[in-house]
Amino acid sequence: MTALILALVAGAVVGLALGGLGGGGSVLAVPALIYLLGFTPAEATTASLVIVTLTSVTALTGHARDGNVTWRTGLLFAAAGIVPAMAAGAAAGHLSQALLTVAFSVIAALAAVRMLRPATAVAASGAQVNPGRAGAAGAGLGAVTGFLGVGGGFLAVPALVGVLRLPMRRAVGTSLLVITINSLAALGARAGTGVHLDWAVIAPFTAAAVLGAWDGKRLSRKLEGGTLQRVFAYVLLAVAVFMLIDAIS
């Protein structure tokens, strides 16, 4: 019963982050699965991909209905990350649990610091996109997704704004498309690794995340985006520090 309650609460928080910010859910899902629900890092990163894929599809539906998804740009960005996501996902199964934990905490800390920096000015609509930079950003995001079992939205949103010059609201919606595609690719690469998945925990976690994603989308309309982002960044930074200390102690 305790595991069920923890899964529901953690899932709701993950959904709120994905629905409201267009990313960040998996960065909370992995530590929640490890420290609250007893998963190993390999199990947690794989389970996170299942949770984030299903939740992202739900959140994507709402943003697409509001016209906040740039489909062509998102598909091109995601396409560059499919092969790196699959390759990194296959390699992650052969790495030590401690190394995965340290790598995850470092990436999470960098993401938190990036979210606390002032927003980059958005170029005028129709600005020229550098294909090389866009491809490099997409490939890097795919590799992170596959390696750490995260959807990459916490990195996708800044990349879509800074590299592809999308307005913030469209970047949030489009990032959910990128997350879904990258997560599916990484999950496919891990399908034959033999990692155990506890569906009795994953199922309620995912259900709560899906419901939370709808609430997150509504919340993002009522609160200033910068406020939500700063709160999330501080929580993420605290989680990253805790995981790093735990991994090296």
Side-chain angles (χ1 to χ4, degrees), residues 43-71:
E43 292 169 348
T45 52
T46 303
S48 172
L49 289 170
V50 176
I51 295 164
V52 170
T53 298
L54 296 174
T55 308
S56 296
V57 169
T58 301
L60 175 62
T61 303
H63 283 276
R65 191 160 49 207
D66 291 344
N68 290 327
V69 179
T70 307
W71 293 96

Side-chain angles (χ1 to χ4, degrees), residues 106-121 133 153-163 165 168 229-230 232-234 236-237:
V106 170
I107 291 294
L110 291 174
V113 172
R114 174 64 182 83
M115 293 177 78
L116 289 171
R117 290 171 55 189
T120 304
R133 291 180 63 195
F154 63 96
L155 298 174
V157 173
L160 288 168
V161 172
V163 177
R165 301 295 192 260
M168 185 63 186
Q229 186 167 308
R230 283 192 298 273
F232 176 77
Y234 285 124
L236 182 57
L237 188 59

Side-chain angles (χ1 to χ4, degrees), residues 36-224:
L36 296 180
L37 297 165
F39 283 47
T40 67
E43 292 169 348
T45 52
T46 303
S48 172
L49 289 170
V50 176
I51 295 164
V52 170
T53 298
L54 296 174
T55 308
S56 296
V57 169
T58 301
L60 175 62
T61 303
H63 283 276
R65 191 160 49 207
D66 291 344
N68 290 327
V69 179
T70 307
W71 293 96
R72 187 169 181 271
T73 299
L75 289 171
L76 289 172
F77 190 83
I82 291 177
V83 172
M86 295 185 70
H94 303 288
L95 300 176
S96 70
Q97 308 294 329
L99 179 59
L100 283 174
T101 302
V102 170
F104 184 92
S105 62
V106 170
I107 291 294
L110 291 174
V113 172
R114 174 64 182 83
M115 293 177 78
L116 289 171
R117 290 171 55 189
T120 304
V122 179
S125 179
Q128 188 69 32
V129 174
N130 185 310
R133 291 180 63 195
L141 182 66
V144 171
T145 298
F147 184 62
L148 299 180
V150 299
F154 63 96
L155 298 174
V157 173
L160 288 168
V161 172
V163 177
L164 302 185
R165 301 295 192 260
L166 293 184
M168 185 63 186
R169 192 171 293 277
R170 281 185 173 264
V172 168
T174 305
S175 76
L176 291 166
L177 174 62
V178 177
I179 292 168
T180 300
I181 294 173
N182 282 346
S183 296
L184 281 172
L187 193 57
R190 294 186 180 213
T193 59
V195 175
H196 170 70
L197 294 179
D198 187 351
W199 292 103
V201 172
I202 295 173
F205 197 119
T206 304
V210 168
L211 293 175
W214 288 106
D215 290 333
K217 183 177 178 297
R218 288 194 293 268
L219 186 63
S220 68
R221 293 174 175 172
K222 298 177 181 179
L223 297 180
E224 182 185 346

